[in-house]
Amino acid sequence: MQIGPHLLRNNVFVAPMAGVTDRPFRQLCKELGAGYAVSEMAASNPRLWATEKSSRRTDHTGEMEPKAVQIAGADPKDLADCARFNVERGAQIIDINMGCPVKKVCNAWCGSALLQDEELVKRIVDAVVGAVDVPVTLKFRTGWDRENKNALQIARIAEDAGIAMLTLHGRTRADGYKGDAEYDTIAAVKKSVSIPVVANGDITTPEKAKFVLDYTGADAVMVGRAAQGRPWIFREIDHYLRTGKHLPSPYVDEVRALMDEHLRAHYAFYGDYLGVRTARKHIGWYVRDLQGGEEFRQRMNLLESTEEQLLAVDQFFESQWSYGERLQYCLAEDMQAA
């Protein structure tokens, strides 16, 4: 799998997720087998470039290459300028967001709202591709709603403009994240273009990843929400695609060490005050579906210091030893059912 000059180690990617795929999380996913990761989306409005939030979103210091920045906006010139700005700061790939379904993004005529105006899409991709000398990719959805699917037209516009890779989420903007992703449109797009196509949407297990690759003919899969709290899903999928066999669940001690590494990197990135608060969602994702996870999450959300949080997480995973040396994800559900 290759994006421009960048040869990737596999075809299992991390989806850009606002408030999730910050540098510590992307780096951890890459360490655990992800072949590629894209930053949270950065606003193209030049008045926001220097803000702490935007600077943090596009910080790739020490990150495993290639370094990809996703940009979002509606004005072709602003997006082109934003692409140049980020390339000057070290971005090696620029990804254009035309997939975000969130209302406040679409109300600003950004994200998947752009799919309603194919001429504007053309102006944007032409402007951004022409502005930088690094590969430009596009992430989009199947259309605005189910009556207005235009992924094939958008894909052709993008390919003609010189877009290096397409990532297609198998839902419309109107679908949001509801229902099941569909893959027929992804398969049709793959057949219609000669550039790499990445399938996104409901990739939750190794078996699902293989099914989607086989069904769509896509070159890669992109994993989003299923990686929250389970960053090792990338090595699990990669191993299954290569061997047809499953890796066992991770050892409790391994996850305990990974959690410590993730949290310390998170605190260093955000600072102690913000770090403790933004880490809570990650911790909640790690412990869900584990015995005692929900009770622990509620107690942990009351802790106010990094030291308390680190100690609590360490003690929680120490307690998981009583169920076995590997994480027992189904145990909580089984006990509730009993």
Side-chain angles (χ1 to χ4, degrees), residues 135-258:
V136 178
T137 61
L138 175 67
K139 189 171 192 294
F140 65 123
R141 285 186 170 231
T142 57
W144 176 249
D145 57 33
R146 295 185 186 186
E147 288 69 47
N148 295 280
K149 289 187 178 182
N150 60 346
L152 286 171
Q153 295 93 311
I154 299 295
R156 294 189 188 106
I157 290 169
E159 183 177 33
D160 290 345
I163 290 292
M165 183 180 78
L166 298 169
T167 300
L168 181 54
H169 186 124
R171 289 182 173 90
T172 67
R173 186 272 161 183
D175 290 330
Y177 295 100
K178 302 187 299 292
D180 296 325
E182 57 93 359
Y183 305 114
D184 289 331
T185 304
I186 299 176
V189 166
K190 174 58 187 172
K191 289 179 182 177
S192 73
V193 297
S194 59
I195 57 178
V197 174
V198 182
N200 179 220
D202 297 350
I203 313 293
T204 55
T205 65
E207 293 93 340
K208 188 65 175 289
K210 185 177 188 309
F211 166 80
V212 172
L213 286 170
D214 291 344
Y215 189 86
T216 64
D219 301 277
V221 289
M222 182 170 276
V223 180
R225 289 170 290 168
Q228 295 173 356
R230 295 191 188 185
W232 45 87
I233 192 173
F234 299 100
R235 72 182 182 196
E236 292 175 343
I237 292 175
D238 178 54
H239 182 82
Y240 185 79
L241 293 177
R242 288 186 291 104
T243 69
K245 298 178 181 179
H246 287 280
L247 286 175
S249 295
Y251 287 104
V252 170
D253 281 352
E254 180 193 11
V255 176
R256 191 176 175 183
L258 287 171

Side-chain angles (χ1 to χ4, degrees), residues 30-43:
K30 288 178 177 180
E31 291 172 3
L32 291 171
Y36 177 63
V38 184
S39 75
E40 305 168 80
M41 62 182 177

Side-chain angles (χ1 to χ4, degrees), residues 39-45 54 57-58 69-73 79 82 86:
S39 75
E40 305 168 80
M41 62 182 177
S44 63
N45 185 336
S54 291
R57 284 189 168 189
T58 56
V69 172
Q70 186 180 79
I71 59 175
L79 282 159
C82 183
N86 280 286

